[in-house]
Amino acid sequence: MEKLLELRDLSINYLVKDGALSAVHQLNFDIHRGEIFALVGESGCGKSTVAFSIMRLLQGNEVVDGEIVFQGEDLLSLDEAKMEKIRGKHIGMIFQNPLDSLNPVYTSGSQVAEAISLDEKDKNVILEKVIKLYESVRIPDATERVKSYPHELSGGMRQRVMIAMMLSRNPQLLIADEPTTALDVTVEAQILKLLRELRDDFGSAILLITHNFGIVAELADRVGIMYAGELMELADVEEIFHCPVHPYSKALMASLPRITKEQGRLKTLEGTVPRIIGEFQGCRFSNRCEHAIEECFQRKPELLEWRPGHFVQCLNKEVLHGD
């Protein structure tokens, strides 16, 4: 499959009063056309930072190294004028809270129309496109809903409006940052079904940012598991669920809810994601890993191909070959 997006040795350090805070460190992965790629991990692992770096929407107090190659062009090398032409038109983003992203003083339809007006000037054509987009994201009574203000829509409807807005210019890549946060399970299922249908109908690739493995199982083709700004494991979704290798991946799987009581209590992972300032020796997961050996505290592991298409970052050979 053709690669649409490639992250090459991406590192992002935020400048704080204590020094350089490492948010992302030497991250490498790619996304193919029409693929749904999920980036998973605990809060504070750097997932959203990756998403914002692709869009070039970081705070401005960061140092970014490496490359973000989209359709053969390094986004980090572009000036702001060129980057503005890529946002929305070629790469769209659905943010966590649609109520924060929509302007409360304008109707939802006018905000979707604003995006379309960048490519189309006829007002009647624009309105028709907005209504069709509302219908494509399964908003009922679309003709009336385009006149509704954000506060008049439910959380699920607002999220659909955001999806319609992002699809209005047919982007090749859609970034969905926790797209079902704060939605009830029924609406969540509808949004997930919608995203899958949009991938199939529009052919857009999707970068799914989440900590919810239920969403991953439902949608993703491939999964990258992040911890403290690094990729611990990367594989097809079935590989990750049926054959996790890295201790962190296994710990996340063990914390998932079980169907029956006989399967035992849920396991918890003690500790929190470390706040890394300056140089760091060893594996970033070593202080929470029950399989850590002395080498883990002294040398950084590399992300290596454990078997075809399945990559793991671990120094303990017993973990890699079965303990």
Side-chain angles (χ1 to χ4, degrees):
M1 293 177 65
E2 181 185 353
K3 292 180 182 178
L4 180 65
L5 178 77
E6 294 179 79
L7 271 60
R8 301 173 181 169
D9 292 327
L10 180 66
S11 293
I12 302 170
N13 295 302
Y14 289 111
L15 301 179
V16 296
K17 64 178 182 179
D18 299 328
L21 173 65
S22 177
V24 176
H25 186 245
Q26 294 181 352
L27 196 66
N28 289 276
F29 68 82
D30 52 60
I31 299 175
H32 303 117
R33 289 188 182 275
E35 176 183 42
I36 299 180
F37 184 92
L39 206 53
V40 187
E42 295 171 270
S43 297
C45 283
K47 306 184 301 299
S48 292
T49 297
V50 171
F52 279 85
S53 69
I54 294 170
M55 295 294 287
R56 292 265 304 270
L57 292 174
L58 292 172
Q59 302 174 27
N61 67 327
E62 71 284 335
V63 176
V64 183
D65 292 311
E67 295 178 305
I68 301 174
V69 180
F70 178 73
Q71 294 186 317
E73 191 169 31
D74 182 12
L75 299 181
L76 298 178
S77 67
L78 302 181
D79 59 34
E80 184 58 26
K82 289 183 178 178
M83 192 63 209
E84 283 183 359
K85 294 179 180 179
I86 290 177
R87 292 191 197 105
K89 178 68 175 176
H90 300 285
I91 306 176
M93 185 167 177
I94 305 168
F95 297 93
Q96 285 190 33
N97 189 344
L99 192 58
D100 290 342
S101 304
L102 294 170
N103 193 318
V105 301
Y106 294 102
T107 63
S108 64
S110 67
Q111 295 180 64
V112 177
E114 185 178 0
I116 298 173
S117 66
L118 295 171
D119 303 311
E120 175 62 59
K121 301 305 177 186
D122 189 307
K123 291 184 178 180
N124 292 325
V125 173
I126 291 174
L127 179 58
E128 287 178 11
K129 286 189 174 183
V130 173
I131 293 172
K132 284 183 179 179
L133 279 167
Y134 273 42
E135 291 172 346
S136 72
V137 297
R138 311 293 188 271
I139 294 179
D141 196 13
T143 305
E144 291 301 316
R145 290 284 73 78
V146 297
K147 305 172 187 175
S148 298
Y149 289 88
H151 71 273
E152 297 175 317
L153 301 172
S154 67
M157 289 296 178
R158 288 194 291 264
Q159 194 63 287
R160 289 165 194 259
V161 170
M162 284 299 302
I163 294 173
M165 188 183 299
M166 291 305 102
L167 289 173
S168 63
R169 305 184 72 195
N170 297 323
Q172 293 98 320
L173 175 64
L174 185 62
I175 301 173
D177 187 7
E178 301 282 6
T180 59
T181 296
L183 301 181
D184 64 53
V185 291
T186 303
V187 177
E188 177 182 287
Q190 294 170 352
I191 295 296
L192 296 182
K193 183 174 183 288
L194 174 61
L195 288 174
R196 191 188 308 106
E197 290 175 350
L198 293 174
R199 186 273 299 267
D200 296 339
D201 295 343
F202 289 83
S204 299
I206 298 176
L207 172 57
L208 178 65
I209 309 290
T210 185
H211 61 268
N212 187 330
F213 269 101
I215 294 176
V216 172
E218 184 78 18
L219 275 183
D221 298 309
R222 285 192 303 144
V223 184
I225 296 182
M226 277 191 76
Y227 182 80
E230 293 186 354
L231 208 56
M232 299 288 118
E233 189 163 0
L234 187 154
D236 290 344
V237 65
E238 290 188 6
E239 281 266 324
I240 288 291
F241 276 92
H242 295 112
C243 190
V245 176
H246 196 280
Y248 181 58
S249 304
K250 291 181 177 179
L252 291 179
M253 295 296 173
S255 67
L256 296 178
R258 301 296 194 270
I259 296 175
T260 64
K261 292 181 179 179
E262 286 71 21
Q263 290 175 288
R265 293 178 60 86
L266 297 182
K267 292 187 179 180
T268 58
L269 183 58
E270 299 298 328
T272 57
V273 180
R275 188 171 186 266
I276 298 173
I277 295 179
E279 294 296 323
F280 185 88
Q281 277 192 323
C283 172
R284 296 190 173 199
F285 186 60
S286 56
N287 67 323
R288 300 174 73 188
C289 181
E290 60 183 21
H291 298 283
I293 56 178
E294 185 177 351
E295 188 179 10
C296 297
F297 296 92
Q298 300 171 349
R299 183 165 70 87
K300 181 191 178 303
E302 296 180 22
L303 188 69
L304 300 175
E305 196 163 20
W306 179 67
R307 65 187 191 190
H310 192 156
F311 297 83
V312 184
Q313 176 176 293
C314 186
L315 294 171
N316 190 331
K317 293 180 179 178
E318 291 186 355
V319 169
L320 296 174
H321 299 103
D323 46 10

